[in-house]
């Protein structure tokens, strides 16, 4: 037979009081949570000087508690020596794990046909015959279904969890951005912007200083396997200058440690074939992969590597990757992490760990275990993306398609609005965190401790380093010239370190 829940009747009474405008002291009403006063009072008087606001707060708290009690917590527990036989000897479970202080009424469902009792009644009956109950519990296997109604506890916990998820989502990576600069154990950086600008100006006037006694290895970043023109223009121009330049053919969507092993093998192969040392330039995650190779295998590579350039690399971590993969935020309700994993593993044929390795937590853990050697010459390059409306009309040449329109195949450029996408991301990071970025990497996270840092005034987004724009200004340096200037600066830094060691 259907019975009205007395808690529901109390809620109706509260609603009628609110509608009629009755005063709170006109009738004493037992709170929905706790069933008493004093320490168990669920709705404390928050506004003692304003009775109307205090009554409203009390009403909202009690109504929320009732709504929370509607979410029953069902659990099945098996006991006894042989749980397989527990269905044959069921017995009632007296003690509920949802009980908070022993006084909250908790409904305990017994066998079919028996009435439900509260935890207080169950505990009273247990006190009257403790030995019998204990004997039954220890001697017989059990299978009990408990329907707990902790008034207000589940509801408050649910809302507290929602608020905590919202807080973590809004806070995001605000506490992690720029942690490299705040770590006292990290070595300081040196500003090399003026030297870089001077070298770039000389390159513009036809003065090239890169020696041909070195081999130049370009390490592409994330999703480079899907960009056929990644670093191609830079490699072509280096080859025309008579320099030995190679692009590391790694699976960029793999983990950092996996790519580090492959880069190590690349370096050893190049040194064995040319008997020359290697200068590395890694872009984005490629810089992280190259740095990991030197950190993990430095004893084997220290005589084979002359230096490292990290261009727009999230050395400290990426707020984009961290915000997407962070657990305990609102994105968990739509399983955002699982969606990203499906996209990377099924669509791009990569590994979700490639993105996980760029989060702040993973970067902190890795750098603590495997720091870069202090004697390694390094140059880090960080930029700031433009967020002006003119960027929306920028198209980047990312690939080319061949069409047999004549006797010879005709190549047509494949373009994408990468500049507009980078500008939107940079605007998001600026508004949310107040940090300048190239669209994917904040400026402070791209500055590698112990390196010579280049901070150009020119607005360059994250994709510009590898994909040239169709509407570039002829008077400005292109990506190949910028890479040449960075490597030339690295050669100078390496020579200075050698002189200090000598």
């Amino acid at each position: 037979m259907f019975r009205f829940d007395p808690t529901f009747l109390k809620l109706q009474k509260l609603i009628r009081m609110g509608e009629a405008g009755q005063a709170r002291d006109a009738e004493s009403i037992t709170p929905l949570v706790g069933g008493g006063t004093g320490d168990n009072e669920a709705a404390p008087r928050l506004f003692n000087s304003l009775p109307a606001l205090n009554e409203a707060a009390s009403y909202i708290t009690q109504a929320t508690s009732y709504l929370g009690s509607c979410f029953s917590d069902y659990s099945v527990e098996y006991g006894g020596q042989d749980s397989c036989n527990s269905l044959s000897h069921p017995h009632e479970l007296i003690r509920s794990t949802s009980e908070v202080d022993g006084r909250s009424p908790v409904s305990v469902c017994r066998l079919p046909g028996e009435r439900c009792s509260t935890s207080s009644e169950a505990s009273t009956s247990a006190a009257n015959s403790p030995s019998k109950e204990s004997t039954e519990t220890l001697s017989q296997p059990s299978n009990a279904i408990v329907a707990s109604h902790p008034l207000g506890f589940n509801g408050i916990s649910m809302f507290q969890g929602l608020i905590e998820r919202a807080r973590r989502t809004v806070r995001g990576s605000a506490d992690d951005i720029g942690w490299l600069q705040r770590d006292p154990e990290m070595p300081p950086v040196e500003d090399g912007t003026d030297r870089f600008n001077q070298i770039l100006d000389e390159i513009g006037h036809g003065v090239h200083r890169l020696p041909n006694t070195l081999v130049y290895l370009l390490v592409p970043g994330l999703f480079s396997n899907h960009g056929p023109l990644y670093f191609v223009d830079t490699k072509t121009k280096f080859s025309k200058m008579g320099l030995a330049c190679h692009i590391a053919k790694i699976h960029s969507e793999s983990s950092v440690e996996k790519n580090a092993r492959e880069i190590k093998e690349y370096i050893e192969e190049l040194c064995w074939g040319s008997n020359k040392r290697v200068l590395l330039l890694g872009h984005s995650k490629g810089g992280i992969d190259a740095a990991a190779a030197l950190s993990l295998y430095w004893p084997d590579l220290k005589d084979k590597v002359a230096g490292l350039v990290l261009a727009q690399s999230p050395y400290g971590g990426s707020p984009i990757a961290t915000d997407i993969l962070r657990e305990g935020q609102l994105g968990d309700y739509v399983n955002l992490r699982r969606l990203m994993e499906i996209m990377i593993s099924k669509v791009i044929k990569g590994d979700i760990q490639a993105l996980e390795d760029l989060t702040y937590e993973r970067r902190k853990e890795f750098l603590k275990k495997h720091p870069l050697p202090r004697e390694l010459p390094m140059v880090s390059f960080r930029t700031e993306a433009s967020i002006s409306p003119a960027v929306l009309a920028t198209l980047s040449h990312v690939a080319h398609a061949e069409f047999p329109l004549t006797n010879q195949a005709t190549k047509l450029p494949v373009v994408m609005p990468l500049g507009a996408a980078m500008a939107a991301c940079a605007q998001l990071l600026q508004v949310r965190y107040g940090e300048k970025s190239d669209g994917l990497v904040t400026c402070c996270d791209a500055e590698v401790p112990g390196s010579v840092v280049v901070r150009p005034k020119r607005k360059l987004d994250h994709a510009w380093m590898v994909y040239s724009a169709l509407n570039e200004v002829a008077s400005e340096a292109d990506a190949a010239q910028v890479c040449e200037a960075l490597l030339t600066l690295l050669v100078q830094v390496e020579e200075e370190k050698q002189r200090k060691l000598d």
Side-chain angles (χ1 to χ4, degrees):
M1 183 176 179
F2 178 77
R3 293 188 299 112
F4 281 103
D5 192 331
T7 309
F8 177 73
L9 297 177
K10 292 178 182 180
L11 179 62
Q12 284 186 325
K13 193 172 184 179
L14 286 172
I15 295 175
R16 288 197 298 270
M17 286 183 58
E19 294 176 349
Q22 299 178 9
R24 182 174 181 81
D25 55 1
E27 180 179 358
S28 177
I29 299 178
T30 304
L32 295 179
V33 180
T37 58
D39 296 338
N40 292 329
E41 187 176 355
R45 302 187 66 84
L46 303 176
F47 307 95
N48 294 324
S49 59
L50 298 174
L53 293 180
N54 183 74
E55 183 174 351
S58 176
Y59 170 73
I60 292 174
T61 303
Q62 296 180 46
T64 302
S65 301
Y66 173 76
L67 293 176
S69 68
C70 295
F71 295 91
S72 300
D73 182 16
Y74 296 97
S75 60
V76 178
E77 295 189 11
Y78 298 88
Q81 296 178 353
D82 187 4
S83 61
C84 295
N85 299 324
S86 61
L87 292 177
S88 303
H89 305 281
H91 80 281
E92 60 197 18
L93 183 64
I94 299 300
R95 185 171 180 269
S96 172
T97 56
S98 300
E99 197 168 339
V100 180
D101 56 1
R103 287 175 288 183
S104 299
V106 181
S107 300
V108 180
C109 289
R110 302 171 183 269
L111 294 175
E114 297 186 39
R115 74 176 184 87
C116 292
S117 64
T118 61
S119 62
S120 59
E121 296 173 355
S123 60
T124 302
S125 62
N128 293 334
S129 57
S131 60
K132 178 181 179 181
E133 186 64 35
S134 301
T135 303
E136 291 180 0
T137 304
L138 294 175
S139 62
Q140 297 181 5
S142 65
N143 175 27
I145 300 179
V146 180
S148 60
H149 296 273
L151 299 181
F153 182 76
N154 283 346
I156 293 175
S157 299
M158 179 182 66
F159 285 108
Q160 286 178 345
L162 179 62
I163 292 173
E164 177 62 20
R165 288 178 182 272
R167 187 195 68 80
R168 288 175 63 87
T169 303
V170 173
R171 188 63 181 169
S173 302
D175 298 329
D176 297 318
I177 296 176
W179 71 273
L180 287 172
Q181 284 72 26
R182 298 191 296 269
D183 192 335
E185 297 182 359
M186 294 293 178
V189 299
E190 177 186 346
D191 189 1
T193 307
D194 292 338
R195 297 167 63 182
F196 169 80
N197 291 332
Q198 182 179 356
I199 296 172
L200 193 62
D201 183 68
E202 293 177 352
I203 293 174
H205 289 83
V207 179
H208 305 282
R209 301 184 183 276
L210 279 180
N212 58 5
T213 57
L214 298 170
V215 178
Y216 303 92
L217 180 62
L218 308 178
V219 185
L222 200 63
F223 309 135
S224 61
N225 297 316
H226 305 276
L229 296 185
Y230 208 118
F231 273 142
V232 169
D233 186 58
T234 301
K235 179 181 182 300
T236 302
K237 293 184 177 181
F238 275 35
S239 299
K240 290 181 179 179
M241 292 187 292
L243 302 176
C245 183
H246 302 267
I247 301 176
K249 301 298 181 181
I250 61 175
H251 194 265
S252 60
E253 290 78 35
S254 297
S255 66
V256 169
E257 294 190 5
K258 181 178 182 299
N259 286 340
R261 290 193 299 269
E262 295 184 5
I263 293 173
K264 170 184 177 291
E265 294 173 358
Y266 252 103
I267 295 173
E268 292 175 339
E269 183 179 348
L270 291 175
C271 291
W272 180 82
S274 64
N275 199 23
K276 298 178 181 178
R277 291 191 302 163
V278 179
L279 272 185
L280 294 97
L281 187 151
H283 175 255
S284 189
K285 182 178 178 288
I288 304 298
D289 295 337
L294 301 180
S295 299
L296 295 171
Y297 307 106
W298 182 243
D300 299 328
L301 299 178
K302 62 181 180 179
D303 296 329
K304 302 178 179 66
V305 174
L308 170 65
V309 175
L310 297 98
Q312 299 174 315
S313 297
Y315 189 76
S318 167
I320 303 295
T322 305
D323 291 345
I324 291 175
L325 300 179
R326 180 184 293 108
E327 297 181 352
Q329 57 182 355
L330 293 178
D332 292 349
Y333 288 118
V334 295
N335 215 343
L336 182 61
R337 179 188 178 89
R338 178 58 180 166
L339 294 176
M340 182 61 62
E341 183 176 356
I342 292 175
M343 186 188 72
I344 292 179
S345 61
K346 303 299 182 181
V347 180
I348 306 177
K349 306 299 181 182
D351 188 353
I352 187 63
Q353 191 174 345
L355 198 61
E356 291 178 343
D357 288 342
L358 301 182
T359 62
Y360 287 108
E361 181 180 1
R362 289 292 183 89
R363 291 304 300 160
K364 292 177 182 178
E365 180 182 353
F366 184 87
L367 294 178
K368 183 178 181 180
K369 295 180 179 178
H370 311 288
L372 279 170
R374 296 292 181 94
E375 64 268 25
L376 175 67
M378 291 183 296
V379 171
S380 55
F381 180 71
R382 59 86 159 170
T383 61
E384 177 186 351
S386 174
I387 56 177
S388 64
V391 181
L392 299 178
T394 302
L395 295 175
S396 300
H397 182 195
V398 299
H400 56 260
E402 296 185 0
F403 296 95
L405 299 179
T406 60
N407 294 333
Q408 295 181 351
T410 301
K411 293 183 179 181
L412 297 179
V414 177
V415 298
M416 292 180 62
L418 292 179
M422 294 298 103
C425 292
Q427 181 70 36
L428 173 64
L429 294 176
Q430 177 73 35
V431 172
R432 184 174 186 184
Y433 299 119
E435 294 287 342
K436 296 180 179 180
S437 69
D438 58 16
L440 295 181
V441 182
T442 61
C443 294
C444 52
D445 291 325
E447 296 187 1
V448 181
S451 69
V452 176
V453 180
V454 176
R455 309 180 179 103
K457 295 181 179 180
R458 182 181 172 187
K459 303 292 185 180
L460 301 173
D461 61 51
H462 194 78
W464 180 88
M465 275 292 296
V466 290
Y467 297 123
S468 59
L470 294 181
N471 55 349
E472 282 186 334
V473 181
S475 60
E476 294 181 340
D478 58 18
Q481 292 174 324
V482 170
C483 290
E484 181 184 353
L486 290 172
L487 290 170
T488 304
L489 176 61
L490 180 61
V491 171
Q492 295 180 1
V493 173
E494 192 268 341
E495 292 175 350
E496 294 172 358
K497 281 186 174 288
Q498 286 294 333
R499 284 196 294 268
K500 291 181 180 179
L501 292 176
D502 295 340

